[in-house]
Amino acid sequence: MSSRKKNTILIILSIMSLLGFFFAAPIPVRAQAGTPGEMHEQINQLRAANGLYPLAVNSYLMQSAQNHANWIAAGNPGGHTGEGGSTAYDRALAVGYGEGAAIYVTENWARGYGLTVYDCIYVMWDDEAHMGNMLTTCHNEFGAGVALDGQGMTIYVVNFGHVSGSAPVQPTSTPSSKTVTPSGPTSTTEPLVQPVTTSTPQPDGSVTHIVQFGQSLWSIADAYNIPMADLLAQNNLTEDSPIYPDQELLIFPATIEIQSTPEFTNTPELTLEPTATQTHTKTLSNTPTKPVKTPTETPKEQNSFLVNIFSGESLWLGIGLVAVSVFGIALLLFTSSRLK
């Protein structure tokens, strides 16, 4: 083989090797913009700046949040409704949170390209509902999950919860009138979560609650010690339904049937007015008066011809007329026959 041919083969092999190297090189994997640990740390910094106690990490809530973040990252729709139509409560219960006791769970979630923990907390969640979850005075435990979807967007899911009977640690200081952002350029509105004061039962046993600013369905259910499912069912709500100040919620339905009494309307009083009574006065005269006969009306008018003819007074007159008529007819017939 000539040297020229060898060189050509070597060049071709070199080019193929280079092409194989470039095509076989792994695609660099995008990194998540944040971690669950960073989320926990910065939320607790936000709470500390507002005089609130820190939230403790709960392994069950961490697993529940991570499972939901992975499910969204797998190409499923984002939101609070997860696999099989589950809610945050369902997902926490499924992994064993609370170990059979009554549990209460709320959730924040977000997704975006290069979305950092800071932007997630102070931009994406800078609204009443999400900020209220992070500044909760009802829950005392925390869990977070972070995942990256096929489009390179970072997904965050954060759960806040507590088990019934585990009262949150009281804040060490009074929260300020405005929410303090530890390192952010802006501040948000005042802390949203407010304590729930229970209402007095009505005479029929029912209990209703008027929602106040900063209260949530979970804090209301916990204050009245009723299952969240009952509260939602009685008011035709879901876990994602918003509630508003001055909204009336049914807590316990009526247990006593109260007999309704008829209402009497004011009717005008009847007043009896005196009526003039007729008085008859008798006048005495020296000349006697004769009684005046007034014609009496017969029940039936006597104007029928036959009745007049055959009445008792003119019966014989009627008979005579009939006889004369018969005699006249007979004479007429006899005369006509003779003329023929």
Side-chain angles (χ1 to χ4, degrees), residues 22-99:
F22 284 114
F23 282 108
I27 299 173
V29 179
R30 294 188 182 94
Q32 295 173 174
T35 65
E38 291 176 26
M39 180 66 73
H40 179 238
E41 181 182 357
Q42 291 209 27
I43 287 180
N44 274 344
Q45 286 180 10
L46 171 68
R47 294 175 61 80
N50 286 273
L52 297 173
Y53 54 88
L55 298 175
V57 173
N58 180 277
S59 60
Y60 293 103
L61 290 180
M62 294 288 285
Q63 182 181 348
S64 175
Q66 188 62 56
N67 288 346
H68 189 45
N70 292 341
W71 183 80
I72 296 174
N76 295 294
H80 297 293
T81 302
E83 185 175 4
S86 64
T87 63
Y89 170 85
D90 298 327
R91 293 187 290 273
L93 195 65
V95 298
Y97 181 56
E99 298 181 350

Side-chain angles (χ1 to χ4, degrees), residues 23-322:
F23 282 108
I27 299 173
V29 179
R30 294 188 182 94
Q32 295 173 174
T35 65
E38 291 176 26
M39 180 66 73
H40 179 238
E41 181 182 357
Q42 291 209 27
I43 287 180
N44 274 344
Q45 286 180 10
L46 171 68
R47 294 175 61 80
N50 286 273
L52 297 173
Y53 54 88
L55 298 175
V57 173
N58 180 277
S59 60
Y60 293 103
L61 290 180
M62 294 288 285
Q63 182 181 348
S64 175
Q66 188 62 56
N67 288 346
H68 189 45
N70 292 341
W71 183 80
I72 296 174
N76 295 294
H80 297 293
T81 302
E83 185 175 4
S86 64
T87 63
Y89 170 85
D90 298 327
R91 293 187 290 273
L93 195 65
V95 298
Y97 181 56
E99 298 181 350
I103 63 172
Y104 303 91
V105 182
T106 56
E107 182 178 81
N108 286 2
W109 90 281
R111 173 173 54 189
Y113 289 106
L115 185 62
T116 65
V117 169
Y118 180 87
D119 288 337
C120 195
I121 294 174
Y122 298 105
V123 179
M124 299 290 286
W125 295 341
D126 186 21
D127 60 80
E128 293 184 2
H130 292 97
M131 190 63 69
N133 285 340
M134 293 186 291
L135 296 178
T136 176
T137 57
C138 177
H139 302 313
N140 57 7
E141 294 179 310
F142 166 95
V146 184
L148 197 70
D149 67 8
Q151 299 177 353
M153 290 193 290
T154 303
I155 298 163
Y156 295 89
V157 176
V158 181
N159 286 159
F160 309 89
H162 75 279
V163 179
S164 180
S166 62
V169 179
Q170 296 302 316
T172 56
S173 61
T174 304
S176 59
S177 59
K178 288 188 177 182
T179 299
V180 179
T181 303
S183 57
T186 59
S187 62
T188 60
T189 56
E190 61 179 323
L192 304 169
V193 177
Q194 303 294 336
V196 176
T197 303
T198 57
S199 302
T200 304
Q202 301 295 323
D204 60 358
S206 65
V207 176
T208 57
H209 179 79
I210 305 300
V211 178
Q212 303 299 318
F213 180 80
Q215 295 178 353
S216 66
L217 289 170
W218 296 103
S219 61
I220 293 170
D222 192 41
Y224 287 95
N225 196 25
I226 64 169
M228 184 65 172
D230 292 350
L231 178 62
L232 297 177
Q234 289 168 175
N235 295 277
N236 297 320
L237 300 172
T238 66
E239 289 184 11
D240 297 330
S241 297
I243 56 175
Y244 307 96
D246 299 327
Q247 181 178 350
E248 183 175 315
L249 298 178
L250 177 62
I251 306 300
F252 298 109
T255 56
I256 303 173
E257 184 177 354
I258 299 178
Q259 298 289 339
S260 59
T261 56
E263 296 182 358
F264 295 96
T265 57
N266 294 327
T267 56
E269 297 182 358
L270 297 177
T271 57
L272 299 177
E273 296 182 357
T275 57
T277 57
Q278 296 179 352
T279 58
H280 300 276
T281 58
K282 294 183 179 180
T283 56
L284 299 177
S285 60
N286 294 329
T287 58
T289 58
K290 294 182 179 182
V292 179
K293 291 184 179 181
T294 57
T296 58
E297 296 180 356
T298 57
K300 295 182 181 180
E301 295 181 357
Q302 305 295 327
N303 57 358
S304 174
F305 176 75
L306 293 178
V307 173
N308 290 335
I309 294 296
F310 295 100
S311 65
E313 297 178 355
S314 57
L315 177 61
W316 291 107
L317 178 59
I319 294 173
L321 291 175
V322 171

